[in-house]
């Protein structure tokens, strides 16, 4: 998508704040999309909504970096992800110095979040790590709310088993063979939504019904391949969410889309 084409996504080792502008670039009202690569996955829908609703859209995205107020353990580098902490602190300074009207936050909702415990100097086990991540996510949402913005927690997209695009390419006549159980893709309760509901005044958007029904998450929806590499939507599928995204944001803001 455009956030990658315009080099707006901060890489693992980088801590810079890249402020790329999309949406209605002439608007004075400001919306900010923050998060990791899953925020980039949702970008086409958020960008379209910002244009429709008359917001300039600023994008703040760092690969693999949770915006939860925790010290993250990086699974690839096998060390505390200090670059993530530094980047997140810079993000919060900017949001306080230049308050936005709307902040939309989305991150990978990992069922086994990688959180570093400074007391033990080791990665937390799954259960305490998840509790720490939820508490840290709530702290970040509350801090964003303190800037005066309307804060929206966007539910993470489902996680997928394997490379769905490869599966579909092998089953073009029957792409339904690449569908997967909802209980795998969207384990409940969702950590991001749990955190959001614990912070009074934070709004939530959950578009999971567009890709999953009560039992199944789909590889192809309305003739559109939904998944690219990893747990990320294709840009085409993300754009198909634009109308729903616009209505949900407008409703939160008390406006008619």
């Amino acid at each position: 998508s455009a956030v990658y084409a315009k080099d707006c996504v901060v890489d693992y080792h980088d801590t810079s704040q890249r402020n790329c502008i999309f949406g209605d670039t002439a608007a004075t009202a400001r919306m900010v999309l923050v998060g990791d690569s899953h925020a980039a996955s949702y970008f086409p829908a958020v960008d379209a909504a910002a244009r429709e609703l008359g917001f300039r859209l600023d994008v703040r995205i760092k690969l693999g970096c949770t915006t939860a107020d925790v010290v993250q353990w990086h699974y690839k580098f096998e060390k505390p992800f200090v670059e993530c902490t530094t980047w997140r602190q810079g993000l919060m300074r900017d949001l306080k110095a230049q308050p936005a009207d709307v902040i939309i936050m989305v991150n990978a909702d990992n069922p086994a979040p990688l959180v570093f415990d400074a007391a033990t100097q080791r990665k937390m086990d799954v259960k305490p790590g998840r509790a720490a991540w939820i508490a840290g996510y709530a702290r970040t949402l509350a801090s964003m709310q303190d800037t005066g913005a309307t804060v929206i927690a966007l539910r993470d997209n489902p996680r997928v088993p394997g490379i769905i695009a490869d599966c579909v390419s092998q089953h073009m006549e029957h792409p339904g063979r690449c569908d997967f159980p909802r209980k795998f893709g969207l384990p409940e309760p969702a950590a991001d939504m749990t955190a959001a509901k614990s912070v009074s005044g934070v709004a939530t958007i959950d578009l999971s019904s567009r890709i999953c029904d009560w039992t199944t998450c789909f590889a192809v929806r309305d003739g559109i391949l939904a998944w690219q590499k990893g747990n990320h939507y294709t840009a085409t599928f993300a754009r198909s969410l634009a109308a729903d995204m616009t209505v949900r944001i407008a409703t939160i803001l008390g406006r008619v889309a």
Side-chain angles (χ1 to χ4, degrees), residues 90-213:
L91 166 70
M92 293 309 302
R93 282 195 299 270
D94 283 0
L95 291 176
K96 290 174 183 176
Q98 296 180 312
D101 297 283
V102 179
I103 301 172
I104 299 177
M105 185 164 83
V106 57
N107 285 258
D109 182 1
N110 192 324
L114 301 173
V115 178
F116 179 69
D117 186 348
T120 63
Q121 291 293 296
R122 61 186 291 272
K123 181 178 65 175
M124 286 186 179
D125 292 333
V126 172
K127 189 172 181 179
R130 191 164 179 82
W133 191 92
I134 290 171
Y137 208 68
R139 285 193 297 273
T140 297
L141 289 167
S143 294
M144 289 177 171
Q145 200 170 45
D146 287 344
T147 68
T150 296
V151 178
I152 302 172
L154 176 59
R155 185 174 186 177
D156 185 28
N157 56 257
R159 61 191 180 109
V160 301
I163 308 298
I164 295 294
D166 289 351
C167 178
V168 171
S169 70
Q170 295 167 15
H171 301 284
M172 296 294 289
E173 296 299 319
H174 303 284
R177 293 178 181 175
C178 304
D179 297 343
F180 53 97
R182 180 188 174 98
K183 64 183 179 181
F184 174 89
L186 292 168
E188 301 286 356
D192 49 8
M193 296 294 96
T194 300
K197 290 171 184 175
S198 74
V199 184
S200 178
V202 169
T204 60
I205 293 177
D206 181 354
L207 297 180
S208 57
S209 63
R210 287 294 311 275
I211 190 63
C212 306
D213 63 18

